[in-house]
């Protein structure tokens, strides 16, 4: 085998700033700093929200796979996020508190804990630190004070950022034409190409429809830095500021918390694709303004975005359209578990599509992912049974490359090439499946390779068992023990050729939500039907 086959694939990631896949190297040697926009904790996260964190976790695991230390921050937004993309409407947290007649702090605590449970259920690595927006309000006020004289103006409803005051946000402020930083390479600022590119025309139209007018704003694209409490109204969350009592704007929070915990510039900022056109450009505008005001010698305001890479996952869609809490009903991870679905099946469903592609959600797709997970788990269980008494672990990749069985080395290199190619997990998963099934290879070496793959994929294959995947639905009226007893009766009936009794038992199980899987090649024997 030639030496070049053992060279690790260079990590390449898609950068939303440039709309290109580029070689990634951290600012600090061997250390990547990552910030992820976290949830607004006014309700449960739906599974579309959670796709963003499966993506971010895959990114973090890939950075670790590549031998980098990672500092990862996820924020909790417990104030400041309004009910529309415009600077209008109510604070989502205040609205949730009124609707439930509960303290806003209780609302935040409840949904924060629920979100963290979702993260644990999906085997997502906990961040290096959770940052909570309300803990950083003094720093937000200080940040706003520095940019206000040059970049902001005050009106009756609050302090607003003038987007025409920073480079690359708008071509002509007076025309009202909105062109966000993501519509051009910030470093080049080639506006001619941007304006002529038909692929961006629809984005500008969509943005115009998402940003509404607020009385007194100079232009619709200007956004709130500080929102004053309405006269005569006392909010549960409000603070004194130079602009009156109120609360910070949503966009301000991430600029302040990312800078406080990671410094600037840092390596990677992640979020959903819905953040790409408004929330993140507004963060960039604030960052440009702040560093221009502070005279940062290491960054010109024109190209200082805060992070070197901005990465976004695409939507999870159902057959009625994009999942949205504002539309009413939405599917949560808790509801999937209550219906009898193991949460790692949803993780596998996400990994089966590239993070920048739309992913369709359906009961059929989820069931297929559960079946695929079952095959993986049973395959690993079989290897573990054969390796009883053998010590194995997931060694460092350089050790694997030097010591792995020759038949396994190509799988390692193909897996590495796939995840290094902008986290191409749909191409990496077959390498895992092939590693499980490959013949005439020492079982301990196979398990070492599988464990290494799973460190990057996070499917928990070395811990999960076949029995773990049988999640009992919340409303199930029968226990697994009762099912096994009935199936044993049915086996006896079939052996005695009492097919009438066999059918009777099967039909009774079906009536209680149990699907009897005769002839299942995976020997599943039965499953509780999905809700």
């Amino acid at each position: 085998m030639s030496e070049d086959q053992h060279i690790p694939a260079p990590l390449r990631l898609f950068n939303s700033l440039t709309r290109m896949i580029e070689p990634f190297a951290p600012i600090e040697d061997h250390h990547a700093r990552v910030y992820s926009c976290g949830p607004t904790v006014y309700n449960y996260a739906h599974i579309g929200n959670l796709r963003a964190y499966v993506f971010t976790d895959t990114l973090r695991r890939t950075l670790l796979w590549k031998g980098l230390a990672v500092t990862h921050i996820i924020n909790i937004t417990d104030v400041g996020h309004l009910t529309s993309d415009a600077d209008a409407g109510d604070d989502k947290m205040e609205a949730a508190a009124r609707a439930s007649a509960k303290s806003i702090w209780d609302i935040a605590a409840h949904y924060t804990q629920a979100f963290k449970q979702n993260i644990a259920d999906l085997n997502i690595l906990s961040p290096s630190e959770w940052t909570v927006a309300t803990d950083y309000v003094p720093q937000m006020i200080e940040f706003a004070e520095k940019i206000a004289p040059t970049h902001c103006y005050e009106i009756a409803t609050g302090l607003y950022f003038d987007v025409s005051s920073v480079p690359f946000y708008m071509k002509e402020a007076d025309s009202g034409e909105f062109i966000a930083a993501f519509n051009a390479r910030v470093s080049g600022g080639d506006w001619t190409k941007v304006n002529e590119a038909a692929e961006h025309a629809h984005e500008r139209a969509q943005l115009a429809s998402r940003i509404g007018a607020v009385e007194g704003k100079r232009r619709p694209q200007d956004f709130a830095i500080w929102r004053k409490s309405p006269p005569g109204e006392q909010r549960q969350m409000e603070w004194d500021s130079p602009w009156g009592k109120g609360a910070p704007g949503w966009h301000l929070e991430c600029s302040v918390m990312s800078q406080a915990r990671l410094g600037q510039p840092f390596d990677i900022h992640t979020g959903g694709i819905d953040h790409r056109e408004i929330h993140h450009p507004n963060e960039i505008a604030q960052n440009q303004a702040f560093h221009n005001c502070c005279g940062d010698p290491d960054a010109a305001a024109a190209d200082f975005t805060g992070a070197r890479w901005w990465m976004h996952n695409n939507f999870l869609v159902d057959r009625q359209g994009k999942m949205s809490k504002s539309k009413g009903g939405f599917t949560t991870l808790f509801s999937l578990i209550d219906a009898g679905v193991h949460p790692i099946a949803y993780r596998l469903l996400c990994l089966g599509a590239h993070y920048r592609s739309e992913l369709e959600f359906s009961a059929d797709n989820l069931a297929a992912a559960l079946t695929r997970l079952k095959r993986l788990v049973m395959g690993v269980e079989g290897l573990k049974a054969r390796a009883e008494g053998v010590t194995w672990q997931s060694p460092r990749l350089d050790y694997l490359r030097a010591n792995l069985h020759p038949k396994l080395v190509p799988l390692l290199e193909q897996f590495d090439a796939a995840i290094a190619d902008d986290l191409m997990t749909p191409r990496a998963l077959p390498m895992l499946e092939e590693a499980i099934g490959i013949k005439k290879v020492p079982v301990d070496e196979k398990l070492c390779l599988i464990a290494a793959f799973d460190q990057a994929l996070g499917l928990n294959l070395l811990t999960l068992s076949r029995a773990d995947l049988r999640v009992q639905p919340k409303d199930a009226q029968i226990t697994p023990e009762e099912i096994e007893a009935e199936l044993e009766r049915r086996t006896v009936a079939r052996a005695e050729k009492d097919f009438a009794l066999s059918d009777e038992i099967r039909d009774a199980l079906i009536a209680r939500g149990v699907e009897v899987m005769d002839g299942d090649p995976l020997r599943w024997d039965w499953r509780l039907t999905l809700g």
Side-chain angles (χ1 to χ4, degrees):
M1 187 172 293
S2 62
E3 285 297 317
D4 60 355
Q5 288 179 286
H6 295 273
I7 298 173
L11 179 58
R12 301 166 65 248
L13 300 172
F14 184 85
N15 191 347
S16 293
L17 280 175
T18 62
R19 297 182 184 261
M20 295 172 60
I21 295 178
E22 300 172 339
F24 175 79
I27 297 168
E28 298 178 6
D29 285 345
H30 309 297
H31 179 211
R33 291 169 291 156
V34 182
Y35 182 90
S36 298
C37 282
T40 302
V41 286
Y42 73 103
N43 205 335
Y44 296 107
H46 61 60
I47 56 174
N49 302 140
L50 293 173
R51 186 189 185 194
Y53 303 100
V54 174
F55 147 61
T56 299
D57 189 58
T58 304
L59 170 64
R60 180 178 176 184
R61 288 173 180 273
T62 298
L63 294 169
L64 293 169
W65 168 275
K66 286 302 190 181
L68 300 175
V70 181
T71 300
H72 182 209
I73 304 297
I74 300 179
N75 76 286
I76 298 292
T77 296
D78 56 354
V79 67
H81 195 171
L82 301 187
T83 53
S84 75
D85 285 317
D87 287 307
D90 204 352
D91 184 294
K92 291 185 176 184
M93 297 296 300
E94 296 277 353
R98 282 197 302 272
S100 63
K102 292 182 179 179
S103 157
I104 197 170
W105 305 99
D106 290 341
I107 292 285
H110 174 78
Y111 290 117
T112 296
Q113 185 54 45
F115 177 74
K116 290 181 178 180
Q117 184 62 55
N118 290 158
I119 293 298
D121 287 340
L122 288 168
N123 199 31
I124 291 170
L125 300 171
S126 293
S128 308
E129 184 179 350
W130 298 96
T131 58
V132 180
T134 49
D135 291 342
Y136 287 81
V137 172
Q139 293 95 315
M140 294 177 202
I141 293 173
E142 181 181 348
F143 188 109
E145 285 181 303
K146 289 182 178 178
I147 67 173
T150 306
H151 298 279
C152 303
Y153 59 91
E154 188 175 353
I155 60 177
T157 53
L159 183 71
Y160 283 80
F161 190 95
D162 182 347
V163 298
S164 69
S165 69
V166 292
F168 302 113
Y169 197 93
M170 296 176 67
K171 180 187 176 187
E172 297 177 3
D174 292 338
S175 73
E177 181 182 12
F178 178 78
I179 304 177
F182 292 111
N183 285 350
R185 297 189 64 169
V186 173
S187 57
D190 191 342
W191 293 111
T192 302
K193 289 183 180 179
V194 172
N195 289 333
E196 291 177 350
E199 65 179 292
H200 299 321
H202 72 285
E203 292 176 3
R204 293 199 293 275
Q206 289 175 342
L207 291 172
S209 68
R210 288 174 61 189
I211 303 177
V214 173
E215 186 175 353
K217 281 171 58 171
R218 295 175 183 173
R219 57 191 58 79
Q221 296 80 18
D222 294 349
F223 56 90
I225 294 292
W226 187 265
R227 295 176 300 104
K228 298 179 184 179
S229 297
E233 179 181 319
Q234 182 175 0
R235 294 176 174 170
Q236 291 191 49
M237 287 184 172
E238 61 180 11
W239 294 262
D240 290 322
S241 81
W243 314 282
K245 275 192 183 297
W250 177 42
H251 313 299
L252 180 63
E253 299 176 3
C254 287
S255 286
V256 170
M257 289 187 285
S258 62
Q259 178 171 277
R261 305 318 303 164
L262 297 175
Q264 288 194 349
F266 57 94
D267 295 291
I268 304 173
H269 195 311
T270 75
I273 197 171
D274 51 329
H275 291 162
R276 192 184 65 184
E277 310 301 344
I278 297 178
H279 179 44
H280 287 170
N282 290 353
E283 276 191 62
I284 286 175
Q286 294 164 164
N287 294 338
Q288 290 175 341
F290 183 85
H291 286 276
N292 184 45
C293 292
C294 296
D296 188 333
D298 298 322
D303 62 9
F304 191 92
T305 67
R308 295 285 175 85
W309 256 259
W310 293 71
M311 298 180 67
H312 301 88
N313 65 282
N314 213 325
F315 292 123
L316 179 78
V317 294
D318 59 24
R319 293 179 180 177
Q320 286 72 49
K322 178 176 73 73
M323 285 199 174
S324 173
K325 294 175 189 173
S326 63
K327 294 180 180 179
F330 58 90
T331 304
T332 68
L333 191 66
F334 294 119
S335 65
L336 292 185
I337 294 170
D338 286 348
V341 179
H342 196 283
I344 298 298
Y346 177 66
R347 183 184 180 105
L348 182 57
L349 177 67
C350 292
L351 295 179
H354 189 246
Y355 76 92
R356 286 193 289 116
S357 300
E358 283 193 348
L359 172 60
E360 181 178 346
F361 175 79
S362 69
D364 288 344
N365 289 346
L366 187 61
L370 183 59
T371 297
R372 189 178 193 183
L373 178 62
K374 177 194 166 186
R375 291 178 184 272
L376 292 169
V377 168
M378 291 180 65
V380 173
E381 275 191 324
L383 294 175
K384 287 164 64 178
R386 288 168 50 198
E388 188 174 355
V390 176
T391 300
W392 54 267
Q393 57 183 343
S394 176
R396 289 172 52 90
L397 293 186
D398 53 0
Y399 177 87
L400 268 180
R401 284 190 167 90
N403 296 280
L404 205 57
H405 190 282
K407 290 183 71 173
L408 295 176
V409 171
L411 296 180
L412 175 64
E413 302 308 324
Q414 291 171 57
F415 184 92
D416 180 51
I419 63 168
D421 184 14
D422 194 32
L423 317 182
M424 195 60 69
T425 52
R427 221 170 66 214
L429 283 167
M431 301 305 105
L432 170 63
E433 290 162 329
E434 191 171 341
I436 293 172
I438 197 167
K439 306 296 184 183
K440 298 180 180 179
V441 174
V443 67
D444 58 326
E445 293 196 34
K446 289 175 66 170
L447 284 168
C448 283
L449 183 63
I450 291 162
F453 286 174
D454 201 35
Q455 284 185 335
L457 297 172
L459 295 172
N460 214 12
L461 295 178
L462 280 300
T463 303
L464 281 177
S465 69
R466 174 184 173 185
D468 292 332
L469 300 184
R470 284 178 173 159
V471 178
Q472 185 161 341
K474 185 177 181 180
D475 58 356
Q477 299 177 11
I478 188 170
T479 67
E481 292 76 18
E482 291 175 309
I483 295 170
E484 295 290 355
E486 287 300 288
L487 288 177
E488 181 60 29
R489 278 209 313 133
R490 188 166 181 260
T491 299
V492 172
R494 287 162 66 87
E496 295 176 351
K497 301 189 184 302
D498 189 347
F499 298 114
L501 178 57
S502 172
D503 291 347
E504 180 184 326
I505 294 170
R506 181 200 61 203
D507 293 344
L509 288 170
I510 291 172
R512 299 180 72 180
V514 180
E515 180 181 357
V516 179
M517 302 171 70
D518 290 332
D520 175 17
L522 298 181
R523 306 182 311 282
W524 197 239
D525 304 324
W526 60 269
R527 70 178 178 188
L528 290 159
T529 55
L530 304 183

